[in-house]
Amino acid sequence: MKKLAILLTLFISSTITIQAQTPLVAEIESSADKVWEQIRRMDNIDELSSFVSKVQWKGPKGIGGERVCTSSDGKGYFKEKITGFDDKTRTYSYQVIEGVPAKNMNNMIKVVDLGYNKSMIVWTSSYEFMENPNMTREQFDGFIASAREEMVKNITKLAE
């Protein structure tokens, strides 16, 4: 029975392709508190990303809250749900639940205090890419990577 469970687990895991982006790690010349202050707002993505023109927030500013981000051209959107939030550990997690060619898209942002008025942002993302005629997996991976990099750069500017 144990062997059957192991074989079934291996089979299932081989049929599902989870794409995990390389974690984005950025050291910042600012305190963790200042960086976290910018990240924890959650409703200002339109100020941090050129890909987003408007953010509509619904619910609590924490677990259970949702945001709908309208694309810069106004033609598209994506919807996210906050799944984890902790001021003490300076972390929050969110899941993109609509509007992207991926499913099970989970993201986590953590701010680490490095001392001496320095901190580090660690941003992880994982998802299952869904084949579609509008975007290849490589294009989607590139979009996610560039969006994260731009947002971290802008968070850094605001925290300085």
Side-chain angles (χ1 to χ4, degrees):
M1 185 68 166
K2 193 173 185 179
K3 287 182 182 179
L4 179 61
I6 292 170
L7 286 173
L8 185 57
T9 301
L10 287 172
F11 174 75
I12 291 171
S13 64
S14 69
T15 60
I16 299 173
T17 305
I18 300 281
Q19 180 70 29
Q21 288 263 313
T22 302
L24 174 61
V25 178
E27 190 172 314
I28 300 170
E29 297 285 332
S30 191
S31 74
D33 289 337
K34 284 184 179 179
V35 174
W36 179 243
E37 182 181 318
Q38 295 304 317
I39 290 175
R40 75 176 310 281
R41 286 186 52 196
M42 296 187 213
D43 61 357
N44 65 335
I45 296 174
D46 54 334
E47 298 170 18
L48 303 174
S49 173
S50 62
F51 299 111
V52 177
S53 64
K54 180 173 72 170
V55 177
Q56 293 174 305
W57 189 268
K58 178 181 161 187
K61 290 281 178 74
I63 298 172
E66 293 184 354
R67 59 187 168 212
V68 175
C69 302
T70 303
S71 64
S72 56
D73 65 4
K75 295 179 182 177
Y77 75 95
F78 56 94
K79 185 176 184 179
E80 301 174 328
K81 184 171 187 161
I82 308 303
T83 57
F85 180 85
D86 189 335
D87 274 323
K88 287 183 182 178
T89 60
R90 297 183 191 96
T91 59
Y92 88 81
S93 303
Y94 63 97
Q95 184 175 44
V96 182
I97 56 177
E98 207 174 295
V100 296
K103 58 184 178 177
N104 299 321
M105 185 169 190
N106 295 292
N107 300 275
M108 193 269 305
I109 302 173
K110 180 170 182 62
V111 179
V112 179
D113 188 351
L114 299 177
Y116 302 103
N117 206 37
K118 291 184 181 183
S119 59
M120 180 171 52
I121 294 175
V122 180
W123 190 334
T124 59
S125 300
S126 65
Y127 49 86
E128 296 173 54
F129 180 76
M130 299 182 332
E131 297 297 327
N132 70 83
N134 299 318
M135 186 178 283
T136 66
R137 179 187 313 264
E138 292 77 21
Q139 289 170 322
F140 186 67
D141 290 347
F143 167 75
I144 296 299
S146 65
R148 291 189 312 177
E149 289 169 9
E150 177 189 26
M151 290 177 67
V152 166
K153 179 180 171 187
N154 288 328
I155 288 166
T156 300
K157 286 179 187 175
L158 290 171
E160 291 178 338

